[in-house]
Amino acid sequence: KMRRCRHHHQPFLKALFHRMEKGASLMRRMSSISSTSSTSSGSVWLKAVVHKHAFIGSSSTSSSPKSMSSTASFPFSPVQSKHYASVLERTIFQPWSRKFIDSVPMPLSGEKVLDVASGTGATSREIAAILGNEDRFSRVVGIDSSEGMVEEAKRREDIFAEKRAKNEKTREDLDLPAPITYEVVPMEEWKSEEDQFDRAYCHQGAQFFTDRERALTNVFKSLKPGAHFNVAVWAPVKGQKLFEVLRDCLIECEKEEWVPILLKPFSYSGDFESTSRVDAIDRLETDLIKAGFENVDVIFEADKVRFDSLDEALKVISVAPFGQELISDAKLFEKFTRKFKMKMLTEGSDINDGDRASNDDLSQRIKSGTDGGDEVNVTMMSFFAHCNKPWAAGGIQSSSFKC
């Protein structure tokens, strides 16, 4: 774990400068309007502003690789949602959800908790298990823009409920989770009563907001004064070997156009080619402060994820929007598979025995889909941010609450 040495003061300064900039910008606008409203130059000024925004809008739709990272579409169809649940939830999102929740202030029994971009419900179920059902006010609400993801979350919730029902016959002391409800709606469009949630989480979903400021503002409005908000986003892809290998294989298979989509989850800073953790942290801090949160604290976490074999690790590609297109092209997928296994065996996976595959057994290992052992271990890295809604309406300057 690595904690930033400057996190105690920098978010406060960012918030202060953000308020000063907003005030200065408003004064400049008022001054410009008042000085030009009585002359014909006012219309010229207005046209210039309109032209400037039109130019910015047109440039933002550039198809350059770097701009594609922020606009790359990453929908979750019903098919993808099933792959997501069967491939990623067990290996990545269940252990990382626990790690995320354990690293930030824990939910308390009796709280009403919001799970933003809840996906297939891995984080929602972890929170519900911690809350328990002893207090009738305990409740989890999961919000996701994908109907496929929510349907999969509900389906898995039914499966777990059936298992619990069977266990209840033999265990009277079985701890039941808090109830979970799911809603299909983009966070940018979500409307809720203000000040109704005690706590909110967003585990690996903020990268996919189409309008981060609006989405985070909606989260802010829904929280009670003093409520905690916890956000997790993946760090830049550098050093996360599994996805580096998948990226390189796409490039070598002449599918560069799929790279920005593959790396969208690692592109919080807006550029899938970025290797700067500082840029990503600064962007995350700034976005949270702009939404009105205070006491922003970001930590860096790294840990291993385990796959039973290389074939299991390869299934990660099926979750991507282009996954089925890649798999359905037998010749292309065969080429991609061989490159993937070759790279993972020679440079990608952390092999416990300390020996990389030799030329003699490399072909056999590629065919069998193993690295010479029973499992493949790769490193994943993430940022965990914690902040809170101010107790007082004035925010940092008028609130005496500090975490």
Side-chain angles (χ1 to χ4, degrees), residues 311-323:
D311 287 321
E312 288 297 311
L314 179 60
K315 290 180 182 179
V316 169
I317 203 69
S318 67
V319 180
F322 55 80

Side-chain angles (χ1 to χ4, degrees), residues 28-244:
R28 285 196 298 269
R29 270 195 233 170
M30 294 299 293
S31 176
S32 298
I33 293 172
S34 62
S35 62
T36 58
S37 59
S38 60
T39 66
S40 61
S41 61
S43 60
V44 176
W45 172 83
L46 181 60
K47 289 179 181 178
V49 171
V50 171
H51 175 72
K52 177 182 177 183
H53 283 282
F55 175 76
I56 292 173
S58 63
S59 64
S60 65
T61 59
S62 170
S63 59
S64 64
K66 289 191 176 184
S67 66
M68 284 174 65
S69 62
S70 58
T71 59
S73 176
F74 209 109
F76 291 100
S77 67
V79 173
Q80 281 176 267
S81 300
K82 284 185 172 59
H83 285 302
Y84 182 102
S86 62
V87 176
L88 295 184
E89 187 173 299
R90 179 180 64 84
T91 56
I92 296 178
F93 285 99
Q94 280 184 355
W96 272 92
S97 288
R98 297 188 194 107
K99 191 176 186 67
F100 174 43
I101 294 171
D102 289 344
S103 298
V104 295
M106 299 280 282
L108 303 174
S109 178
E111 289 186 332
K112 186 177 181 181
V113 181
L114 175 66
D115 184 15
V116 180
S118 53
T120 55
T123 303
S124 294
R125 289 190 294 275
E126 289 291 332
I127 296 169
I130 295 171
L131 290 176
N133 73 336
E134 290 186 4
D135 192 310
R136 64 188 180 88
F137 292 105
S138 297
R139 182 186 173 194
V140 180
V141 176
I143 305 292
D144 201 280
S145 62
S146 168
E147 185 175 356
M149 284 291 206
V150 170
E151 288 302 315
E152 186 63 25
K154 291 179 179 178
R155 188 183 74 84
R156 295 180 76 78
E157 186 65 23
D158 292 339
I159 293 173
F160 284 108
E162 289 178 8
K163 289 182 179 179
R164 288 193 296 268
K166 291 179 181 179
N167 289 335
E168 283 179 9
K169 296 177 182 179
T170 57
R171 279 189 60 190
E172 297 181 357
D173 61 338
L174 185 69
D175 294 328
L176 297 176
I180 306 174
T181 57
Y182 294 101
E183 298 179 28
V184 182
V185 60
M187 200 62 216
E188 296 87 343
E189 301 174 11
W190 184 59
K191 303 294 183 184
S192 72
E193 297 179 11
E194 294 189 7
D195 305 339
Q196 67 164 313
F197 289 97
D198 301 285
R199 197 178 302 268
Y201 293 83
C202 181
H203 187 221
Q204 308 302 342
Q207 305 95 308
F208 303 103
F209 292 151
T210 57
D211 186 339
R212 288 180 189 168
E213 184 174 358
R214 188 174 177 184
L216 293 174
T217 298
N218 285 342
V219 176
F220 181 88
K221 289 179 180 178
S222 73
L223 293 174
K224 296 177 181 178
H228 297 266
F229 182 37
N230 308 293
V231 187
V233 296
W234 296 121
V237 75
K238 183 179 180 180
Q240 310 201 59
K241 275 295 183 181
L242 174 60
F243 289 89
E244 286 186 306

Side-chain angles (χ1 to χ4, degrees), residues 213-283:
E213 184 174 358
R214 188 174 177 184
L216 293 174
T217 298
N218 285 342
V219 176
F220 181 88
K221 289 179 180 178
S222 73
L223 293 174
K224 296 177 181 178
H228 297 266
F229 182 37
N230 308 293
V231 187
V233 296
W234 296 121
V237 75
K238 183 179 180 180
Q240 310 201 59
K241 275 295 183 181
L242 174 60
F243 289 89
E244 286 186 306
V245 168
L246 290 171
R247 174 201 63 197
D248 294 344
C249 290
L250 286 177
I251 293 172
E252 292 180 17
C253 289
E254 300 181 351
K255 288 294 182 180
E256 295 91 342
E257 68 272 19
W258 288 345
V259 171
I261 303 173
L262 173 73
L263 300 185
K264 177 70 174 177
F266 306 92
S267 307
Y268 191 86
S269 64
D271 179 6
F272 75 92
E273 293 180 337
S274 173
T275 61
S276 174
R277 295 174 187 171
V278 173
D279 288 348
I281 291 174
D282 286 347
R283 179 71 177 270

Side-chain angles (χ1 to χ4, degrees), residues 321-355:
F322 55 80
Q324 296 309 302
E325 182 179 348
L326 172 62
I327 294 170
S328 63
D329 188 331
K331 187 176 180 180
L332 176 61
F333 188 57
E334 181 183 359
K335 179 181 179 181
F336 182 89
T337 299
R338 186 167 184 84
K339 287 182 177 295
F340 173 80
K341 291 183 177 180
M342 177 75 75
K343 288 179 179 294
M344 288 296 289
L345 287 169
T346 56
E347 63 186 63
S349 176
D350 298 324
I351 299 174
N352 296 329
D353 61 11
D355 296 322

